[in-house]
Amino acid sequence: MTPPDASLDIATMKFGIGQPVPRSEDPRLLRGQGRYTDDVTLPGQAYAVMVRSRHAHGVIRAIDTAAARALPGVLGVWTGADLEAAGYGTLKCNITFPNRDGSAMKLPRRPAMPTDKVRFVGDPVAFVVAATPSQAKDAAEAVVVDIDPLPAVTTPRAAVKPGAPLLYDDVPNNIALDYHFGDADKVAAAFAQAAHVTRLELANNRIVVSAMEPRSALAAYDATADKWTLHVGCQGVFGLRGQIAKDILGVPVEKVRVLTGNVGGSFGMKAFVYPEYVGLFHAARALGRPVKWTDERSESFLSDHHGRDHEVTAELALDRDHNFLAVRFTGYGNVGAFLNPVATLMPTLNTVKNAIGVYKTPLIESSVKVVFTNTSIVSAYRGAGRPEGNYYMERLVDAAARELRIDPVALRRRNHIQPAEMPYATPVATTYDSGEFTKLLDQALKAADWDGFETRRAGSVGRGRLRGRGIGNYLEVTAPPQNEMGGIRFESDGTVTIVTGTLDYGQGHASPFAQVLTSKLGVPFDKIRLLQGDSDQLVAGGGTGGSKSIMASGAAIVEASDKVIDHGKQIAAFVLEAAVADIEFGNGAFTIAGTDRAIGIMALAEKLRGGLKLPADLPQSLDVTHVHKAAPSAFPNGCHVAEVEVDPDTGVIEVARYHMVNDFGTLINPLLVEGQTHGGVVQGIGQALMERTVFDTEGQPLTGSYMDYAVPRAGDAPLFSFVSHPVPAKTNVLGAKGCGEAGCAGSLPAVMNAVVDALSGLGIRHINMPATPLAVWQAIDAARRGSAT
């Protein structure tokens, strides 16, 4: 018998919930010992290279593969016709909405590779497999693709015009979905009676996702077992397995295994099936050997889905007392050439759900046309509609305050939802459970030294610079409920494995998940392992996305731990020769109540490994497999305050100061939360000031490499001030609210409001993202020439 571990309380304090524990995987990754998809090598593997269209739009007349097949090392060349003949399924859009008139939205069929015509530059039309990568590249260049070019269209406004080139014959005006939300009559009445209406034309610029690790995949087929295996970087192996089995291969899910190791970033982009994976499956079965494909960066700019790309007219109606009456959005969402599984969500429902933010806004209306264009597909990118909604509302609030000549802080305070109004039912069918929005705003202003701004601005003026400040007072609605696994296994080597269906693609799940388990069971932190990337070992899994991982997996771990404790009490009662009712659990040990007789959970696991014989009616191990029925969405919120300096002679902008106060509920690991927020803020700064994907009128990408496309570097990031103002959520057992995407939601409006503030002295009312040096200089020049006349 072992007494309770006297050191356990100290260990729990050091590694339990609320402690800033470093990411446990970092030492291995920093030593170069990570295992990414392209690091995986299977015996006999061959290599695939895609043949892509150089035209944005055109009819496929012929694909000549003879020369390619004759080259050394070539094992096979296949086209869309070959995949069609083999009977593979199509890539589907899973989120659909009715059109405004109630009719069904358009869902054009999308095979992995086209057989009729190409619809964007980079559309894969064939693929080559050879013994080496260089042989496959040479052969891909030898494939001759005969395409009759057609006129292309690259912007939604142009695509919906009468006479515009049609991507699909059965999709009039290229409109996939004519989306509408809200009561148009009530909103119109609110605007008609408004004392003031603010109106802005807002562009949400298209973003290249630019993950550190390009996409890669390795497919194998076991003819004996009739089973497929795919090694691939993704956001959740359980969900991806289902897509592959159901939509592509048409086989039972147990015939597919998806394996994911380390993943170098995704931001929404690696979540779904891509055409290349279908080709790999086909080649692996046809050749009887594994086949690998790894993207190169130039291909990634074309073949990975892009993010954002919306054009919106945003309007805010206010009464005489400056209360918000209604908000209205009218515009377009560009989905590119095809519908990704969630492509419709970002410009529609997710924007609507997040635009209300922290404000009492009785009415909302959204009328958005989701449009096909001859460009790369567009889908989820960090936030996936959440930053959009917050950006639109926060720009409206600042613009309204400027037009009304009132304090933007006072306007926000007046319209904040107050704690006493919780739970608060919004007009978008969400119910906020918690939040202290005005307190949080005030704390952010204090942290940012809001009252000292004029002194700093005077200093900037003395250096020939313009200085501005901006607020991003945001609230996000995290992903909707999904089931999540929480398995716990006590292994033969003395470690404990958490099995769950989220997937770490850079977030650092291992440490916070272990902290939850340590706090709940007292298992030593350094004995805990995490398994997420093997679909064969999962019974459920919602994947990682929508800032829900700690709420889903964390709750699953808590509930699974309760089952472990229940099993342990029964087994400990047998070991300690006591009644189950007399066994208590705490500090990692099972104790007979009122005595000092106890056995630690790890010691009990060791006895079980040693062959402890238990009565048949008792649990035979501490292991559990549990599925958490996911909690409702949570509502992380915060206030970011940015200050920028603008060089009026060059248009160059520097983010000079950045302060943020965030309510992420219970912080499991403050260190990781702060790091996640920093990353989101920098991505927001990138979109606000420098990132933009450009196509010419023929559909050719003009930003096809890092020579043409700017991403933020270390020198573009300010020093951050991070403060937490936690108000625990009531929607999940941990009280957490999620943090992964909030940085973008706060930074887009904070930075752009600051830029407009800096330029406002010149009479500039608005500038669209990205506020590049050229765009800013042109706006300043136009303003000066206009004032001169």
Side-chain angles (χ1 to χ4, degrees):
M1 308 301 174
T2 58
D5 186 347
S7 67
L8 187 59
D9 288 339
I10 296 175
T12 302
M13 288 173 59
K14 186 176 180 181
F15 294 107
I17 290 174
Q19 299 304 306
V21 181
R23 302 191 337 163
S24 58
E25 67 271 29
D26 282 350
R28 177 171 50 83
L29 296 178
L30 291 171
R31 289 194 296 263
Q33 295 172 340
R35 193 168 188 254
Y36 298 85
T37 303
D38 193 52
D39 295 324
V40 180
T41 299
L42 298 178
Q45 75 179 28
Y47 299 85
V49 170
M50 300 295 141
V51 180
R52 300 187 184 278
S53 172
R54 298 180 182 180
H55 298 278
H57 200 194
V59 177
I60 300 173
R61 295 303 182 191
I63 302 176
D64 186 352
T65 64
R69 292 178 187 276
L71 290 176
V74 173
L75 302 172
V77 184
W78 294 273
T79 68
D82 297 314
L83 299 183
E84 188 91 359
Y88 297 102
T90 57
L91 283 68
K92 292 181 171 58
C93 175
N94 298 327
I95 296 180
T96 62
F97 300 97
N99 286 309
R100 184 175 187 137
D101 62 6
S103 62
M105 65 175 285
K106 297 295 185 180
L107 295 168
R109 184 175 179 273
R110 187 196 180 187
M113 295 184 183
T115 57
D116 54 350
K117 65 177 184 176
V118 295
R119 293 176 171 86
F120 71 100
V121 172
D123 208 352
V125 294
F127 65 102
V128 174
V129 176
T132 70
S134 59
Q135 289 172 332
K137 287 182 181 181
D138 290 343
E141 291 179 1
V143 175
V144 179
V145 184
D146 182 7
I147 294 175
D148 281 350
L150 294 171
V153 62
T154 60
T155 68
R157 290 183 187 274
V160 301
K161 290 181 178 179
L166 294 180
L167 274 75
Y168 303 94
D169 293 340
D170 59 346
V171 182
N173 302 111
N174 296 304
I175 298 173
L177 169 66
D178 184 7
Y179 176 84
H180 182 261
F181 181 95
D183 189 318
D185 292 338
K186 288 183 178 179
V187 171
F191 273 86
Q193 70 181 32
H196 181 83
V197 173
T198 291
R199 185 175 185 271
L200 289 173
E201 299 288 339
L202 299 171
N204 186 30
N205 40 317
R206 180 186 282 234
I207 300 296
V208 169
V209 175
S210 192
M212 290 178 67
E213 178 201 15
R215 284 191 299 118
S216 181
L218 172 59
Y221 176 69
D222 183 341
T224 302
D226 188 26
K227 185 165 184 175
W228 310 81
T229 299
L230 183 69
H231 298 262
V232 65
C234 70
Q235 294 187 198
V237 295
F238 190 85
L240 187 61
R241 179 186 68 168
Q243 294 174 43
I244 292 168
K246 177 184 176 183
D247 296 339
I248 303 301
L249 299 177
V251 298
V253 291
E254 60 268 19
K255 292 295 184 180
V256 177
R257 185 183 190 187
V258 178
L259 294 168
T260 295
N262 296 118
V263 182
S266 173
F267 311 111
M269 182 265 292
K270 295 175 183 172
F272 305 108
V273 178
Y274 277 84
E276 296 87 355
Y277 309 161
V278 184
L280 295 180
F281 286 132
H282 183 76
R285 180 166 60 177
L287 298 174
R289 60 195 291 183
V291 181
K292 178 191 283 186
W293 167 81
T294 298
D295 218 347
E296 295 186 350
R297 190 62 67 178
S298 58
E299 278 190 285
S300 294
F301 272 78
L302 303 174
S303 65
D304 295 349
H305 81 232
H306 295 169
R308 315 297 194 216
D309 205 353
H310 311 139
E311 302 173 28
V312 168
T313 300
E315 301 169 280
L316 177 65
L318 303 91
D319 69 13
R320 295 187 182 280
D321 296 321
H322 305 149
N323 297 304
F324 298 169
L325 297 176
V327 64
R328 181 165 58 194
F329 304 114
T330 308
Y332 302 92
N334 188 352
V335 292
F338 301 100
L339 285 172
N340 171 277
V342 299
T344 57
L345 186 60
M346 280 66 69
T348 59
L349 185 60
N350 264 13
T351 296
V352 167
K353 288 170 65 176
N354 288 272
I356 293 297
V358 296
Y359 304 113
K360 288 178 282 191
T361 310
L363 296 167
I364 183 171
E365 182 184 7
S366 177
S367 302
V368 175
K369 290 180 171 60
V370 179
V371 181
F372 291 115
T373 63
N374 293 114
T375 62
S376 300
I377 62 173
V378 181
S379 188
Y381 175 72
R382 196 170 193 163
R386 299 171 184 88
E388 287 89 322
N390 282 280
Y391 174 67
Y392 301 156
M393 179 60 92
E394 285 296 278
R395 280 297 296 123
L396 283 170
V397 173
D398 250 37
R402 198 173 300 278
E403 291 166 1
L404 292 165
R405 298 185 179 182
I406 62 176
D407 182 1
V409 173
L411 183 58
R412 287 179 168 87
R413 287 184 181 132
R414 170 172 287 275
N415 288 279
H416 273 164
I417 300 162
Q418 296 302 319
E421 297 172 289
M422 302 291 180
Y424 182 84
T426 74
V428 294
T430 56
T431 301
Y432 299 168
D433 63 293
S434 59
E436 297 176 351
F437 309 138
T438 302
K439 284 185 179 180
L440 194 145
L441 167 65
D442 292 343
Q443 191 173 356
L445 298 179
K446 181 178 180 181
D449 186 25
W450 186 262
D451 294 338
F453 172 74
E454 292 303 331
T455 300
R456 294 189 293 279
R457 177 152 63 182
S460 296
V461 170
R463 296 190 299 275
R465 303 288 190 266
L466 307 174
R467 194 178 190 100
R469 60 183 177 179
I471 294 173
N473 202 178
Y474 74 91
L475 178 144
E476 290 193 316
V477 183
T478 63
Q482 289 179 290
N483 292 347
E484 189 54 80
M485 182 176 174
I488 299 175
R489 294 197 315 231
F490 290 77
E491 307 288 7
S492 60
D493 63 356
T495 61
V496 179
T497 299
I498 298 171
V499 185
T500 193
T502 53
L503 207 149
D504 181 349
Y505 48 91
Q507 291 86 350
H509 286 175
S511 286
F513 290 1
Q515 287 172 257
V516 173
L517 191 65
T518 292
S519 295
K520 186 68 177 177
L521 293 183
V523 174
F525 180 86
D526 61 355
K527 296 291 186 182
I528 300 172
R529 306 291 179 261
L530 177 62
L531 192 157
Q532 298 175 296
D534 183 349
S535 63
D536 274 5
Q537 300 195 51
L538 301 179
V539 296
T544 294
S547 301
K548 69 178 186 304
S549 292
I550 196 62
M551 295 177 289
S553 287
I557 293 166
V558 168
E559 293 170 356
S561 295
D562 287 335
K563 291 188 173 183
V564 171
I565 292 170
D566 180 65
H567 287 189
K569 284 182 176 180
Q570 297 179 61
I571 299 169
F574 173 77
V575 171
L576 297 175
E577 300 177 342
V580 174
D582 292 334
I583 300 296
E584 297 176 342
F585 181 78
N587 294 331
F590 298 95
T591 305
I592 301 175
T595 75
D596 60 358
R597 296 183 62 216
I599 184 168
I601 191 168
M602 298 302 286
L604 189 59
E606 185 176 1
K607 280 186 172 294
L608 291 166
R609 289 195 303 273
L612 175 65
K613 299 297 183 183
L614 296 172
D617 60 342
L618 293 183
Q620 298 300 298
S621 78
L622 295 172
D623 298 352
V624 300
T625 297
H626 174 69
V627 176
H628 167 66
K629 304 299 182 181
S633 298
F635 306 97
N637 61 90
C639 183
H640 292 200
V641 180
E643 288 187 21
V644 302
E645 271 197 345
V646 180
D647 182 343
D649 296 327
T650 64
V652 172
I653 295 174
E654 175 192 357
V655 181
R657 288 165 60 93
Y658 202 99
H659 298 265
M660 53 184 137
V661 180
N662 299 286
D663 171 15
F664 298 136
T666 301
L667 300 188
I668 307 300
N669 187 319
L671 180 67
L672 269 62
V673 168
E674 186 169 352
Q676 280 286 302
T677 311
H678 287 179
V681 169
V682 171
Q683 284 187 289
I685 290 172
Q687 181 178 358
L689 301 183
M690 60 192 74
E691 296 188 52
R692 179 172 175 241
T693 308
V694 181
F695 296 87
D696 70 12
T697 55
E698 296 181 352
Q700 293 293 329
L702 302 182
T703 48
S705 75
Y706 291 131
M707 296 296 290
D708 322 298
Y709 184 91
V711 292
R713 302 185 180 187
D716 299 307
L719 294 176
F720 298 107
S721 165
F722 177 92
V723 177
S724 178
H725 181 95
V727 182
K730 299 175 182 178
T731 56
N732 63 85
V733 67
L734 291 172
K737 292 184 176 178
C739 68
E741 297 160 306
C744 284
S747 60
L748 290 182
V751 171
M752 290 309 296
N753 280 338
V755 170
V756 173
D757 185 53
L759 301 176
S760 62
L762 301 173
I764 297 172
R765 177 175 176 262
H766 176 69
I767 186 169
N768 268 320
M769 301 184 294
T772 62
L774 176 61
V776 173
W777 183 89
Q778 288 175 330
I780 292 173
D781 182 62
R784 285 173 170 170
R785 287 189 290 112
S787 62
T789 58

